[in-house]
Amino acid sequence: MSSADNIRNAFHVVYHTYENIHKLMDYCKTVASEQSNYVSVVDKFLRYKSDNDFSGWFIQNFILLFQNKDDIELENEWRDGPLYVMELELYNADLELEESKELPCIRLSKFEYESLQDWSSGCSPANHWRFYYPLRNDDIMDIQKDGDYLYITPIDQEASNRYYWGVNKITSKRIPLTDITADNVVELVFKTFDSL
């Protein structure tokens, strides 16, 4: 097979993977409000993009934010309760070969804050890093792993306040992306949020 064939095939696979990711995210946002206690709180998915860093030329992970619809809605359009974060992670160049075998996956996380009362309304897709790095930055966060679960608290609350909007606690579970189907998305995604 020629280099041109390899490039063409690789982009064909990436294109169709993105197409399926888009369908999954749209389906999750619809199903959340119809068949669970959750609502999508940001219209667009959060992601890392960069013109200067080639790793930002393609999207390696996608983040959706949800909140429990039973929590009281604040004036800033957030709800008075935790954020539930669904991250679809396809690739991570920083992982060792053995760790990368756990990808692609969905990370389902509960981000707990003292209050969202003073937050601005909305969330730019560029705020991706505020939900991505707390699960990975062990300089600021104490990350304890137990099987497919992560239990995370700030080592330095002041740094968490500055960089991660003051997150106090994160509970996260990883699920293989290929385990998710239209038939089990409520059970595997939204029931997992219930258990975090």
Side-chain angles (χ1 to χ4, degrees), residues 58-139:
F58 72 102
I59 301 174
Q60 301 173 52
N61 56 59
F62 304 77
I63 293 176
L64 292 177
L65 302 179
F66 296 91
Q67 286 195 286
N68 190 312
K69 62 184 167 189
D70 294 333
D71 290 335
I72 297 167
E73 191 167 347
L74 302 169
E75 288 182 25
N76 59 10
E77 299 173 6
W78 293 100
R79 293 174 183 271
D80 189 22
L83 286 179
Y84 294 87
V85 179
M86 183 177 103
E87 176 191 341
L88 298 113
E89 186 174 15
L90 304 177
Y91 179 77
N92 186 335
D94 296 331
L95 294 179
E96 299 292 329
L97 182 60
E98 191 62 33
E99 292 175 304
S100 69
K101 290 180 181 176
E102 298 174 349
L103 300 180
C105 72
I106 291 184
R107 292 183 188 274
L108 302 168
S109 304
K110 179 181 181 181
F111 279 57
E112 297 179 62
Y113 303 86
E114 187 173 318
S115 174
L116 282 64
Q117 185 92 31
D118 296 329
W119 286 22
S120 301
S121 63
C123 183
S124 164
N127 281 314
H128 158 275
W129 62 277
R130 296 184 191 274
F131 303 98
Y132 177 83
Y133 286 113
L135 279 70
R136 296 161 176 89
N137 185 348
D138 57 9
D139 290 334

Side-chain angles (χ1 to χ4, degrees), residues 24 27-28 31 35 177-191:
L24 175 60
Y27 185 69
C28 284
V31 160
Q35 298 180 34
L177 179 60
T178 53
D179 286 359
I180 305 292
T181 66
D183 294 330
N184 68 17
V185 73
V186 171
E187 185 68 31
L188 290 183
V189 174
F190 299 106
K191 296 291 185 190

Side-chain angles (χ1 to χ4, degrees), residues 1 11 15 21 23 30 36 53 68 92 97 104 115 125-128 140 142 144 168 176 178 181 183:
M1 190 174 287
F11 275 93
Y15 177 85
I21 291 294
K23 289 177 186 175
T30 300
S36 81
D53 176 5
N68 190 312
N92 186 335
L97 182 60
S115 174
N127 281 314
H128 158 275
I140 295 176
D142 177 33
Q144 300 297 318
N168 290 327
T178 53
T181 66
D183 294 330

Side-chain angles (χ1 to χ4, degrees), residues 154-172:
I155 296 169
D156 180 349
Q157 187 64 50
E158 187 177 310
S160 175
N161 293 348
R162 186 170 46 249
Y163 298 115
Y164 305 139
W165 289 347
V167 67
N168 290 327
K169 179 181 175 186
I170 303 168
T171 307
S172 183

